[in-house]
Amino acid sequence: MSAVACLIWLIFAAVYDFRKRRVPNWLVLVGSLLAIAAISTGSQPFGVSWTAAATGAAAGFGFLLLFYVAGLMGAGDVKFAGALGLWVGLSALIPIWIIASVLAALHSVLWLVLRRWPSFPKLYLLLSDQRPSTVDEGNVRSHGHARFIPYAAYLALATVVWMVWGRQG
């Protein structure tokens, strides 16, 4: 049952981050509390101990905090990574980071290509989280400020991939 709770939390976080480009504190708190409850009741679905969970949370939060301090990532992404570390521990967090980073890099490259050659303005808007009012006759206009990649959403998707395929064997 805890795996289902984790999956629902991951899906909700991914959808929220894709749509709003932010991860609210209440969503991070819910995920953290669910992970702590799963460990406390002995129903942790991934076999993560208290030590592994604490290490995963500290590593997830601490490593991504460097990107936040550099202005490359939002605070919600950092907090989400900490909560995710509580669920999966450090050993699973590493491949999840790699998968999420590849997905985020693909998002970024596609966004840059579509920004340069706006052949598909609706896809560009989806990737950049701009509203349709910024499209004028097929030409996409930039507002001059950065759009953040929904990294927490990619962490969530990478975790679902790990839950389905990465734990087998």
Side-chain angles (χ1 to χ4, degrees):
M1 189 64 177
S2 294
V4 173
C6 180
L7 183 62
I8 291 169
W9 175 68
L10 291 169
I11 291 169
F12 200 84
V15 169
Y16 201 101
D17 196 24
F18 273 126
R19 294 195 70 185
K20 305 281 186 180
R21 291 302 200 270
R22 59 183 298 273
V23 181
N25 290 334
W26 65 264
L27 186 56
V28 172
L29 184 60
V30 165
S32 299
L33 291 175
L34 287 171
I36 290 169
I39 295 171
S40 298
T41 61
S43 62
Q44 214 291 340
F46 311 119
V48 175
S49 67
W50 279 107
T51 305
T55 304
F61 184 85
F63 183 69
L64 293 187
L65 185 62
L66 300 173
F67 291 93
Y68 171 75
V69 170
L72 300 172
M73 186 169 287
D77 298 326
V78 176
K79 292 179 275 188
F80 180 81
L84 181 61
L86 280 173
W87 277 106
V88 301
L90 180 59
S91 63
L93 201 54
I94 293 170
I96 289 168
W97 269 335
I98 293 168
I99 294 167
S101 295
V102 168
L103 292 172
L106 291 172
H107 177 121
S108 180
V109 168
L110 185 57
W111 179 81
L112 289 170
V113 167
L114 291 173
R115 183 174 180 208
R116 177 94 167 111
W117 298 288
S119 301
F120 301 98
K122 288 183 182 181
L123 180 58
Y124 173 81
L125 292 174
L126 177 70
L127 291 173
S128 65
D129 190 39
Q130 293 184 11
R131 301 297 174 234
S133 63
T134 61
V135 176
D136 180 28
E137 299 173 11
N139 295 320
V140 180
R141 288 184 262 148
S142 175
H143 291 291
H145 54 75
R147 298 289 183 179
F148 291 101
I149 291 173
Y151 193 70
Y154 289 125
L155 282 171
L157 291 175
T159 305
V160 171
V161 168
W162 172 80
M163 286 173 73
V164 173
W165 290 290
R167 298 179 329 120
Q168 296 176 4

